[in-house]
Amino acid sequence: MRMKTSEKTHEKPFWLVLDVHGVLIPSSERWILGMLAKRTHQPSWLLFFRWVFYLRQAQRGLLPAKKFYERVLDQKLSEREFQEWIMRPYASRGSISPLIVHELSRLKKRGWKLAILSDMNTAQAAFHRAKKHFAPFDEVFLSCETGLMKPFPSVYNALEKRLRTRKDHIVFCDDLWFNTWGALIHGWKAVTVKGKNLVRFLKDLE
């Protein structure tokens, strides 16, 4: 998708909207579940089942992250265990590649506005905010803070109102086809992009 700044009008900005997990950073939780299964001697399928069952509550901010993982493991966790078993592994893959940061900086200089649209739990959001990973972005829209999740139409409506731009001035990247499909149905430009292909995609934007 090539789009030149000469194609832009001065009336409404163009926005690049990016997911976090699977796009800006590797998707981390599934492999953490495998580590937790070995640590607690529980079947991986059982942890995954509980994870899926409680995931929406956690990502909408209705269930604090530590409580969420206690339900996934069906056991209490001390704060030390939560940090060591879950957040430390998450943090090990939680930084945005310098190559991506470079391309985002280039696009901002070209006049693009940048936004985050991501489903994540409260601990993940706190981690990224503490590390200032969202500093390059002009708008950050997280499910645990808004209670709205992809691919439901309400989340695209709400973010679009914040961005104050036209539908066809929004380019959305997500690693899950049904989230990009939801954006396309809403009238946005959208593409399914995995993290390893994001740099190539960003280079094609002008």
Side-chain angles (χ1 to χ4, degrees):
M1 179 185 294
R2 299 189 68 84
M3 188 177 297
K4 298 180 180 180
T5 51
S6 60
E7 298 173 358
K8 302 177 186 178
T9 69
H10 296 291
E11 297 177 359
K12 298 286 184 181
F14 271 67
W15 282 85
L16 176 62
V17 181
L18 299 170
D19 182 28
V20 174
H21 298 128
V23 178
L24 286 173
I25 67 172
S27 189
S28 298
E29 280 191 275
R30 292 287 293 276
W31 72 273
I32 292 175
L33 289 179
M35 296 172 58
L36 291 174
K38 292 179 180 178
R39 186 182 288 271
T40 60
H41 306 289
Q42 297 187 59
S44 297
W45 67 265
L46 181 57
L47 296 192
F48 180 70
F49 175 80
R50 295 183 191 136
W51 179 76
V52 170
F53 187 80
Y54 292 111
L55 183 63
R56 292 289 176 179
Q57 293 181 55
Q59 291 187 334
R60 291 180 61 204
L62 303 176
L63 191 63
K66 181 170 171 288
K67 190 71 175 178
F68 166 58
Y69 274 101
E70 287 178 341
R71 294 190 180 181
V72 170
L73 296 173
D74 194 28
Q75 68 181 60
K76 289 289 186 181
L77 290 173
S78 67
E79 184 60 30
R80 182 190 63 80
E81 289 171 332
F82 175 67
Q83 294 298 327
E84 181 180 334
W85 295 6
I86 292 136
M87 292 312 299
R88 188 178 297 173
Y90 179 83
S92 71
R93 300 187 185 183
S95 296
I96 302 174
S97 163
L99 292 175
I100 294 175
V101 173
H102 173 76
E103 288 302 320
L104 294 177
S105 176
R106 179 185 66 82
L107 290 173
K108 288 200 75 169
K109 291 177 182 177
R110 298 283 293 177
W112 285 82
K113 294 284 190 177
L114 304 178
I116 291 286
L117 176 59
S118 188
D119 297 338
M120 64 174 61
N121 66 46
T122 53
Q124 293 165 347
F127 165 78
H128 290 294
R129 290 196 181 280
K131 295 295 183 180
K132 302 187 185 306
H133 291 162
F134 298 153
F137 294 88
D138 303 287
E139 188 66 59
V140 178
F141 203 88
L142 305 179
S143 62
C144 64
E145 297 173 353
T146 65
L148 302 175
M149 294 186 65
K150 301 169 291 185
F152 298 103
S154 56
V155 72
Y156 304 111
N157 278 320
L159 179 56
E160 188 178 305
K161 288 179 180 178
R162 279 200 193 179
L163 302 186
R164 296 182 179 180
T165 193
R166 291 167 28 186
K167 292 179 186 294
D168 62 342
H169 281 204
I170 300 173
V171 179
F172 174 53
C173 301
D174 199 285
D175 64 318
L176 299 176
W177 69 267
F178 47 83
N179 290 335
T180 52
W181 179 81
L184 285 168
I185 292 297
H186 189 67
W188 296 3
K189 298 176 181 178
V191 60
T192 303
V193 177
K194 302 291 183 180
K196 61 183 180 180
N197 296 319
L198 180 62
V199 172
R200 184 183 307 170
F201 174 79
L202 295 177
K203 286 180 180 293
D204 283 340
L205 295 178
E206 297 182 4

